[in-house]
């Protein structure tokens, strides 16, 4: 592994030293043990089993959460079915909207506490949970609350009716935000839900259950149950679930798609990605370097749409790689609760070993690996920002989703060549184009086989714009009007 020749070029050879600025976690309110949120109440699991959720930055236990089995799933589905047919579909659309607005406002009121909990449970820097996850989660509730009484205008010339009960399963990379993506449109359209957060990050979803109680939602409209993969499978396979919304890995997405084949359940799958971030010679290079950093190191690379493959046009490749290394050496890796931290902890031990083994595969296949010289804390799960050069289209590191702070760099000469290379993956979730020419940005983005393409920016999200992929990156869209469609029957 090559170490840091880039530091020689650094204009300043010591990193800016900031005094520690940790966010205080004293005021947050967490229970030691969480039950399942079913029919408006926290209820002990039939299984009588609980598992721990830990802080990946310290490896310390935070709380225990219940493990729901098939009997618990059945209780939650029954509660949701009754609530849908007897209450939620009967109240006026404007009333439904009011409840959703109330959730949005309480999320805003509790934003600071929720950000801290998101950070300690999942390992992401407080700056991200504070500035991105929590405000965007509230924004999704606000946005869909607005649609609740305007569904007749959402799809011109068509009427809508709710689908029924939605089973929703989410991953660990944006826990509260993914819950908002799922719950807000479902409720606005008159459906009720059962949501299962990921095993490693259940706490903000359970805080959301408390917020839902506080907002006085009718019991059973939202049910939040914790557990592992088997709990998720029990939700998917329950006969009274009418729609499945899943965000997670392509492997699990395929299992779910198989088990839904032959049923009349509707589904959306938001799966993995391996995005190409493309830098042309005419791009504003310093800006592009920031975009590359944001594209892959944001949230430790735990982002489905991460710009994990970098394509640089040959004439600027040396400059881009040199500046990228310099910039990486200035990133602050460490305590996620510190307001200066750029890169936090890897979400779990399992994910850390997955990243390590893919990097080893990359080295074994002849890739040239460069890592930041930063030091990382001795306790907890950490991975240093890593670059790979000298990789081929067929390299494991170029083809497989790593879901960590690891960037594979390739060069190209022509637009045709980079389009072909960028599209040469089983995924099609997102991409980025950096160029000074607007026409070029449009031309390239229209030829990329990806659901979202950013031009001269990266990882920008908004509740009004749809998100989702092609090929093995999934089926259906979330966000915007497109995100309402999977939750309504149109006639
Ligand atoms: P995952 O292993 O597929 O898990 C996702 C969720 O599914 C978790 O709640 C998981 O429970 C549950 N689950 C596991 N096995 C299941 C089964 N057989 N049936 C039903 N549910 C099951 O994915 P992850 O590792 O948490 O998340 C990372 C993946 O999500 C990446 O591939 C990433 O690209 C993708 N992702 C995609 C998007 C998008 O919008 N396209 C957004 C974010 C993430 P446990 O936690 O208990 O295992
Ligand atoms: Mg945790």
């Amino acid at each position: 592994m090559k170490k840091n020749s880039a530091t020689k070029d650094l204009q300043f050879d010591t990193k800016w030293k900031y005094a520690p600025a940790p966010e205080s976690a004293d005021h947050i309110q967490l229970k030691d043990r969480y039950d399942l949120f079913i029919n408006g109440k926290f209820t002990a699991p039939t299984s009588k089993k609980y598992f721990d959720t830990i802080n990946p930055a310290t490896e310390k236990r935070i709380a225990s959460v219940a493990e729901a089995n098939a009997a618990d799933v059945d209780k939650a589905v029954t509660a949701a079915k009754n609530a849908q047919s007897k209450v939620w579909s009967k109240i006026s659309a404007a009333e439904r909207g009011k409840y959703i607005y109330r959730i949005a406002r309480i999320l805003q009121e509790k934003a600071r506490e929720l950000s801290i909990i998101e950070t300690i449970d999942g390992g992401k820097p407080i700056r991200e949970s504070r500035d991105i996850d929590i405000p965007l989660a509230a924004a999704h509730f606000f946005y869909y609350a607005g649609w609740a009484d305007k569904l007749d205008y959402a799809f011109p010339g068509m009427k809508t009716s709710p689908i029924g009960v939605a089973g929703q399963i989410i991953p660990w990379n944006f826990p509260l935000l993914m819950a908002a993506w799922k719950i807000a449109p479902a409720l606005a359209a008159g459906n009720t839900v059962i949501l299962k957060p990921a095993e490693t990050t259940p706490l903000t979803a359970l805080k959301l259950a408390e917020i839902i109680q506080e907002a006085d939602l009718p019991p059973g409209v939202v049910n939040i149950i914790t557990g592992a993969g088997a709990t998720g499978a029990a939700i998917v396979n329950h006969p009274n679930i009418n729609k499945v919304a899943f965000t997670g890995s392509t492997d699990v997405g395929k299992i779910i798609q198989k088990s839904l084949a032959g049923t009349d359940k509707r589904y959306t799958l938001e799966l993995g990605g391996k995005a190409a971030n493309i830098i042309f010679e005419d791009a504003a290079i310093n800006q592009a370097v920031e975009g590359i950093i944001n594209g892959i190191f944001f949230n430790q690379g735990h982002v489905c749409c991460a710009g994990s493959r970098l394509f640089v046009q040959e004439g600027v490749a040396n400059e881009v790689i040199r500046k990228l290394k310099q910039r990486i050496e200035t990133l602050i890796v460490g305590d996620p609760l510190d307001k200066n931290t750029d890169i936090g902890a890897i979400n779990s031990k399992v994910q850390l070993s997955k990243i390590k083994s893919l990097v080893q595969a990359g080295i074994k296949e002849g890739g040239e690996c460069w890592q930041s010289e930063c030091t990382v804390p001795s306790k907890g799960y950490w991975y240093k920002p890593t670059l790979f050069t000298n990789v081929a289209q067929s390299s494991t590191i170029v083809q497989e989703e790593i879901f960590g702070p690891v960037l594979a760099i390739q060069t190209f000469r022509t637009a045709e060549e980079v389009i072909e290379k960028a599209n040469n993956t089983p995924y099609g979730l997102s991409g980025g184009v950096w160029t000074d020419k607007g026409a070029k940005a449009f031309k390239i983005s229209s030829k990329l086989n990806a659901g979202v393409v950013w031009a001269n920016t990266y990882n920008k999200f908004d509740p009004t714009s749809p998100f989702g992929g092609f090929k093995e990156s999934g089926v259906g869209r979330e966000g915007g009007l497109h995100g309402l469609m999977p939750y309504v029957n149109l006639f």
Side-chain angles (χ1 to χ4, degrees):
M1 190 176 293
K2 249 198 187 167
K3 278 283 170 196
N4 232 347
S5 54
T7 34
K8 286 192 209 113
D9 295 335
L10 279 179
Q11 285 144 13
F12 42 91
D13 33 41
T14 47
K15 216 184 260 192
W16 286 94
K17 294 266 188 278
Y18 290 96
E23 177 69 59
S24 155
D26 296 347
H27 60 289
I28 63 165
Q29 290 185 4
L30 278 174
K31 293 189 266 190
D32 188 59
R33 197 167 91 165
Y34 281 90
D35 286 322
L36 306 169
F37 184 65
I38 298 176
N39 210 22
K41 289 197 188 73
F42 282 93
T43 315
T46 314
S47 68
K48 298 196 171 62
K49 287 189 193 151
Y50 292 82
F51 59 93
D52 288 345
T53 183
I54 65 156
N55 178 342
T58 60
E59 298 176 51
K60 284 197 185 127
R61 171 189 175 278
I62 310 170
S64 308
V65 296
E67 187 178 321
N69 63 15
D72 297 309
V73 169
D74 187 56
K75 271 193 214 167
V77 176
T78 305
K81 192 170 179 327
N82 284 335
Q84 206 279 325
S85 59
K86 296 185 185 139
V87 186
W88 200 239
S89 61
K90 296 281 195 290
I91 63 173
S92 75
E95 280 302 306
R96 277 204 315 266
K98 282 189 205 165
Y99 281 112
I100 307 171
Y101 276 124
R102 210 179 286 163
I103 298 172
R105 284 195 302 269
I106 305 176
L107 281 174
Q108 284 186 323
E109 277 164 29
K110 296 185 189 288
R112 184 150 175 246
E113 183 187 13
L114 291 165
S115 316
I116 294 165
I117 296 171
E118 202 71 299
T119 283
I120 60 176
D121 202 17
K124 65 171 60 194
I126 187 73
R127 206 176 58 211
E128 275 168 28
S129 26
R130 184 196 62 199
D131 297 349
I132 295 162
D133 293 63
I134 310 303
L136 261 182
H140 274 81
F141 279 102
F142 276 118
Y143 173 74
Y144 283 111
W147 275 119
D149 61 352
K150 300 174 197 72
L151 294 174
D152 285 349
Y153 305 96
F155 308 103
M158 307 197 86
K159 293 271 176 218
T160 67
S161 70
I163 289 181
V165 178
Q168 309 183 317
I169 299 161
I170 55 172
W172 42 260
N173 57 344
F174 291 91
L176 187 68
L177 182 57
M178 290 295 117
W181 277 27
K182 299 269 181 291
I183 295 175
L187 296 191
N191 305 277
T192 55
V193 309
I194 292 110
L195 175 103
K196 187 197 94 66
E199 247 174 295
T200 56
T201 54
L203 293 179
T204 45
L206 292 161
K207 291 302 280 186
L208 179 62
E210 291 175 357
I211 289 169
I212 281 163
Q213 270 184 327
E214 196 179 327
D216 215 15
L217 249 76
V221 170
V222 175
N223 303 274
I224 296 181
I225 61 174
T226 43
T231 312
I235 296 175
V236 170
N237 295 320
H238 195 289
N240 289 336
I241 290 283
N242 307 107
K243 185 222 157 24
V244 172
F246 172 78
T247 297
S249 61
T250 294
D251 286 349
V252 174
K254 285 181 182 172
I255 296 172
I256 291 177
Q257 203 170 22
K258 271 187 202 153
S259 66
L260 293 178
T263 73
D264 64 353
K265 292 176 190 169
R266 303 256 298 259
Y267 62 90
T268 42
L269 306 171
E270 299 286 352
L271 310 175
K274 192 75 188 173
N277 205 359
I278 301 169
I279 318 292
F280 283 96
E281 279 166 359
D282 59 8
I285 298 300
N286 291 349
Q287 199 183 322
V289 167
E290 280 309 305
I292 300 164
I293 297 274
N294 180 31
I296 183 66
F297 300 124
F298 169 54
N299 197 17
Q300 299 69 251
H302 295 339
V303 185
C304 51
C305 48
S308 52
R309 290 180 300 150
L310 174 64
F311 291 97
V312 197
Q313 203 162 14
E314 266 183 17
V316 289
N318 287 343
E319 180 188 358
V320 168
I321 294 169
R322 178 174 50 82
K323 288 187 166 170
L324 193 56
K325 288 178 177 175
Q326 287 181 352
R327 180 68 178 97
I328 289 171
E329 290 299 3
T330 68
L331 296 176
I332 299 173
V333 184
D335 181 8
L337 274 178
D338 193 307
K339 290 168 210 138
N340 295 321
T341 294
D342 297 301
I343 300 187
I346 300 300
N347 183 267
S348 67
K349 201 174 182 173
V350 174
Q351 186 58 28
L352 179 59
S353 55
K354 187 180 158 199
I355 297 169
K356 283 181 177 165
S357 72
L358 283 164
V359 166
Q360 280 318 308
I363 294 170
K364 213 166 148 200
E365 289 170 13
E368 198 167 295
C369 180
W370 176 93
Q371 277 189 328
S372 157
E373 279 187 344
C374 65
T375 50
V376 296
S378 53
K379 261 278 191 234
Y381 313 130
W382 308 94
Y383 204 79
K384 295 182 180 183
T386 301
L387 304 180
F388 267 93
T389 47
N390 199 22
V391 289
Q393 275 294 96
S394 56
S395 303
T396 305
I397 215 93
V398 172
Q399 286 296 321
E400 284 195 29
E401 185 183 43
I402 302 171
F403 225 57
V406 181
L407 177 66
I409 305 176
Q410 294 174 274
T411 58
F412 69 94
R413 289 184 184 171
T414 65
E416 289 66 32
E417 178 192 352
V418 78
I419 290 164
E420 193 168 330
K421 283 180 168 171
N423 286 335
N424 180 14
T425 118
Y427 297 112
L429 189 57
S430 58
V433 183
W434 298 80
T435 169
D436 192 34
K437 305 277 181 298
K440 201 195 268 180
F442 280 115
K443 185 178 161 207
I444 303 293
S445 53
S446 66
K447 294 203 166 142
L448 289 179
N449 216 337
V452 183
V453 182
W454 288 285
N456 294 333
T457 186
Y458 208 90
N459 273 340
K460 288 276 183 286
F461 302 95
D462 188 279
T464 62
S465 82
F467 185 88
F470 295 111
K471 301 193 282 186
E472 293 196 11
S473 289
V475 179
R477 295 289 178 268
E478 291 186 313
L481 257 182
H482 296 71
L484 266 182
M485 226 181 297
Y487 289 99
V488 291
N489 297 307
L490 290 175
F491 52 94

